[in-house]
Amino acid sequence: MTDNKAPDSSRRSERSRRAIYDAALALVTEVGYARTTIEGIAARAGVGKQTIYRWWPSKAAVLLEAFLDLADQAADGNYDFPNTGDLEADLKAVLRATVDEMNDPVYDGPTRALAAEGVIDAALGAQFVEKLLDPPIQLYVGRLRAAETAGGLRAGIDLRTAVELFIGPLTHRWLLRTLPLTHEYADSVVEYALNGLSPRG
Amino acid sequence: MTDNKAPDSSRRSERSRRAIYDAALALVTEVGYARTTIEGIAARAGVGKQTIYRWWPSKAAVLLEAFLDLADQAADGNYDFPNTGDLEADLKAVLRATVDEMNDPVYDGPTRALAAEGVIDAALGAQFVEKLLDPPIQLYVGRLRAAETAGGLRAGIDLRTAVELFIGPLTHRWLLRTLPLTHEYADSVVEYALNGLSPRG
């Protein structure tokens, strides 16, 4: 990413950039991360290889940006974790939206291919975690911290670990396809994690 | 698996069978599930291809048995979920053992390769879930049901979903390598899932 020049602002380069992202994500979905090549992306996007190399130094760099762009589109300009004062409602809203994303082929296809490659390739996996997974995890941590300050969490909870009680079950069901991913499931995960499985009171 | 003949009892075939399992798992770890072939397994095990075809009809069949054998070895003859009457202690014991397995290259290498392929290949993933993942999940469900009967669970908990609060976080951290997988982490997951994140009382 050392040579990652900003695109010029003409409509034509924006169109090429969009075509390159789309081609990269489609190809990753179809043939997997490892077998996606700059040549393949260029051919599918209808641009010359040199157009890609002018903007990105490597296949990894163009794919990372395509994935960041996909995440941006999924976020739809909304990068704040909701804070209505009702932690349970906020977590359910976010996890339901995550379920919808995981069930959307536009997101599922390329993200699944990237995750599978990251499971095998530790270096790629680390980049995936750092650039794509940690930022949303930190939003969860921030929301839990606000709840903690407001007295809505038990004392002594490790917030980073607590986040995994929400995203771990959803990711497990998404990646391993054990059972259907539904809003009801997301709601149950939130309720169980917040209130625990043992009798209360 | 329609032609899955039992091995004859001679020491020689048992040795071949063991060599074939070992070769299959080593090869999957090194080149991935998709690129592992019967020819490759035979060459590495030092047996003829026909020896493998005599016992298994396909690569998928020999690999499935190799993974079942690996799971058997990890279980070390112990297929019961512990029930000391202390649900928290029992869950911690099982999740700590799972952490140890996930951190053991003998288990991690091939299982990670299989999981990655299952993430991409839905049919293989379904077999992986049915044969290797569901049986241990049912052991968790049984232990939670015993706790429910003893009054140790909140009313109305869906036990299958509850299991994912334990195995989801561990699998997330294992597959995505976000942070170290430790006994302390396993203990926290059990405590948080059982007691919840919200204040009790």
Side-chain angles (χ1 to χ4, degrees):
Chain A
M1 300 275 290
T2 51
D3 193 30
N4 179 16
K5 293 171 193 134
D8 76 44
S9 58
S10 81
R11 200 172 297 175
R12 182 155 170 274
S13 0
E14 190 44 43
R15 215 161 44 219
S16 295
R17 175 173 289 263
R18 171 66 37 214
I20 290 164
Y21 288 160
D22 290 348
L25 296 177
L27 213 51
V28 162
T29 303
E30 286 169 22
V31 305
Y33 188 98
R35 279 185 288 174
T36 294
T37 61
I38 294 269
E39 288 73 11
I41 296 169
R44 187 162 189 139
V47 303
K49 251 169 52 172
Q50 287 317 310
T51 302
I52 297 183
Y53 280 120
R54 201 180 322 136
W55 290 335
W56 298 279
S58 67
K59 155 189 153 181
V62 61
L63 278 167
L64 178 62
E65 282 204 12
F67 278 106
L68 288 169
D69 180 73
L70 181 67
D72 278 354
Q73 289 180 58
D76 201 16
N78 188 357
Y79 296 99
D80 292 328
F81 204 102
N83 186 348
T84 65
D86 180 341
L87 179 62
E88 184 165 326
D90 293 343
L91 286 165
K92 284 181 180 176
V94 171
L95 286 194
R96 283 175 170 222
T98 302
V99 161
D100 291 343
E101 249 178 67
M102 289 171 166
N103 285 328
D104 178 353
V106 170
Y107 174 91
D108 170 75
T111 309
R112 179 178 289 281
L114 178 64
E117 190 67 15
V119 164
I120 297 301
D121 177 340
L124 178 73
Q127 233 202 5
F128 168 64
V129 167
E130 182 195 339
K131 307 282 187 187
L132 290 165
L133 197 56
D134 271 344
I137 285 177
Q138 291 311 317
L139 296 181
Y140 275 90
V141 169
R143 181 64 187 87
L144 291 179
R145 185 168 295 125
E148 185 180 46
T149 304
L153 286 190
R154 284 199 290 133
I157 296 284
D158 178 82
L159 302 184
R160 181 62 184 68
T161 296
V163 171
E164 296 180 51
L165 259 71
F166 303 107
I167 62 173
L170 264 75
T171 305
H172 186 267
R173 205 173 260 217
W174 171 53
L175 285 179
L176 304 182
R177 291 181 267 229
T178 48
L179 288 172
L181 260 175
T182 63
H183 284 188
E184 292 66 31
Y185 175 70
D187 288 356
S188 293
V189 167
V190 171
E191 287 165 19
Y192 294 0
L194 284 182
N195 299 313
L197 305 173
S198 301
R200 294 176 75 89
Chain B
M1 301 275 289
T2 51
D3 193 29
N4 178 16
K5 293 170 191 133
D8 75 44
S9 59
S10 81
R11 201 172 296 176
R12 184 152 170 274
S13 5
E14 190 44 42
R15 215 162 45 220
S16 296
R17 174 172 290 261
R18 170 67 38 213
I20 290 164
Y21 288 160
D22 290 347
L25 296 178
L27 213 51
V28 163
T29 304
E30 286 169 23
V31 305
Y33 188 97
R35 279 186 289 172
T36 295
T37 60
I38 294 270
E39 288 72 12
I41 297 169
R44 186 163 189 138
V47 303
K49 251 171 50 173
Q50 287 318 311
T51 301
I52 297 183
Y53 281 121
R54 202 180 320 136
W55 289 336
W56 298 280
S58 67
K59 155 188 152 183
V62 60
L63 278 167
L64 177 62
E65 281 204 13
F67 277 108
L68 286 169
D69 180 72
L70 181 68
D72 279 354
Q73 289 179 58
D76 201 17
N78 189 357
Y79 296 98
D80 292 328
F81 205 100
N83 186 346
T84 64
D86 181 341
L87 178 62
E88 185 166 325
D90 293 343
L91 287 165
K92 284 180 178 176
V94 169
L95 286 194
R96 283 175 169 222
T98 301
V99 162
D100 292 342
E101 248 177 68
M102 289 170 165
N103 285 328
D104 178 353
V106 169
Y107 173 90
D108 171 75
T111 310
R112 179 178 290 281
L114 178 64
E117 189 69 16
V119 164
I120 298 301
D121 176 341
L124 178 72
Q127 234 202 6
F128 168 63
V129 167
E130 182 194 341
K131 306 282 188 186
L132 289 164
L133 196 57
D134 270 345
I137 285 176
Q138 290 313 316
L139 296 181
Y140 274 90
V141 169
R143 180 65 186 87
L144 291 179
R145 186 167 294 124
E148 186 180 47
T149 304
L153 287 190
R154 284 199 292 131
I157 297 284
D158 178 82
L159 302 183
R160 180 62 184 71
T161 296
V163 170
E164 295 180 52
L165 259 72
F166 302 107
I167 62 174
L170 264 76
T171 304
H172 187 267
R173 206 171 260 219
W174 171 54
L175 285 179
L176 304 182
R177 291 181 269 229
T178 49
L179 288 171
L181 260 174
T182 61
H183 285 188
E184 292 66 31
Y185 175 69
D187 289 355
S188 292
V189 167
V190 170
E191 287 163 21
Y192 294 0
L194 284 182
N195 299 314
L197 305 172
S198 301
R200 297 176 74 89

